[in-house]
Amino acid sequence: NAGVMQNPRHLVRRRGQEARLRCSPMKGHSHVYWYRQLPEEGLKFMVYLQKENIIDESGMPKERFSAEFPKEGPSILRIQQVVRGDSAAYFCASSSGTGAQPQHFGDGTRLSIL
Amino acid sequence: SQKIEQNSEALNIQEGKTATLTCNYTNYSPAYLQWYRQDPGRGPVFLLLIRENEKEKRKERLKVTFDTTLKQSLFHITASQPADSATYLCALEGEYGDYKLSFGAGTTVTVRA
């Protein structure tokens, strides 16, 4: 399967714990995006990364959230000290470029905070 | 700031009929617009992209129009089938970055056999 792979598919954390979400882009894609989807709401842009660089993190909360896309390995979205409001589906997408390019999405990680 | 509105109600149609979904946007003039399909528990799947200088685009039983004067896109599923049942999302390039897609909340389509 050469699609975007996200894991885990489901993640349960208690308040105050850390959540790590992983994303492997499609083969040949160097542009990675993270979106968050709340029930009954549209996908909201969080962050855009290229290898080893954060290009735009304007949609990501300033505190507790961070993202990386190392030279080797998957992209990671990290949420520290999780709170109930962090419960959502987090989707990763990748593309071969920007501009009029479709983004290819993974099936998401459903994060539940107890 | 940019605002995107899709049909607020779910669409229920009989198999074989045409489903028409609406996407309206304000405060911005995107150079292109995309439509995605999302099934429950899955990620969005890209369907079609239409540029501002294209009035209409087709792919198999799907047709998209883009009216930059009305700031509206219409998405049609012709000869609909139960397998077309899903949520359809409209997405615009971001106002401050063409990689930053802004999505509508989606319209859920159910096709009855």
Side-chain angles (χ1 to χ4, degrees), chain B residues 10-46:
Chain B
L11 201 58
N12 291 283
I13 60 170
Q14 185 71 39
E15 182 176 8
K17 301 293 185 184
T18 296
T20 298
L21 284 63
T22 305
C23 175
N24 295 299
Y25 58 92
T26 59
N27 300 334
Y28 182 54
S29 296
Y32 59 89
L33 184 150
Q34 304 184 32
W35 283 89
Y36 289 76
R37 168 185 173 140
Q38 187 173 24
D39 291 283
R42 305 297 299 275
V45 174
F46 171 76

Side-chain angles (χ1 to χ4, degrees), chain A residues 5-75:
Chain A
M5 302 301 293
Q6 288 189 251
N7 67 81
R9 290 295 311 278
H10 300 274
L11 183 61
V12 180
R13 285 287 177 265
R14 295 188 181 280
R15 281 179 293 171
Q17 290 184 322
E18 177 180 289
R20 280 187 177 238
L21 288 60
R22 296 175 190 77
C23 169
S24 295
M26 278 183 73
K27 189 176 181 180
H29 286 187
S30 59
H31 302 257
V32 167
Y33 318 83
W34 285 91
Y35 292 83
R36 178 162 64 177
Q37 187 174 40
L38 294 168
E40 309 304 322
E41 293 188 19
L43 288 147
K44 303 293 185 192
F45 169 84
M46 298 181 73
V47 61
Y48 162 44
L49 310 102
Q50 294 183 25
K51 281 287 187 183
E52 300 186 274
N53 288 302
I54 297 174
I55 308 301
D56 183 344
E57 55 183 352
S58 59
M60 203 155 64
K62 298 263 185 287
E63 297 179 353
R64 302 189 297 108
F65 285 71
S66 62
E68 63 177 14
F69 188 16
K71 187 176 179 181
E72 301 290 339
S75 175

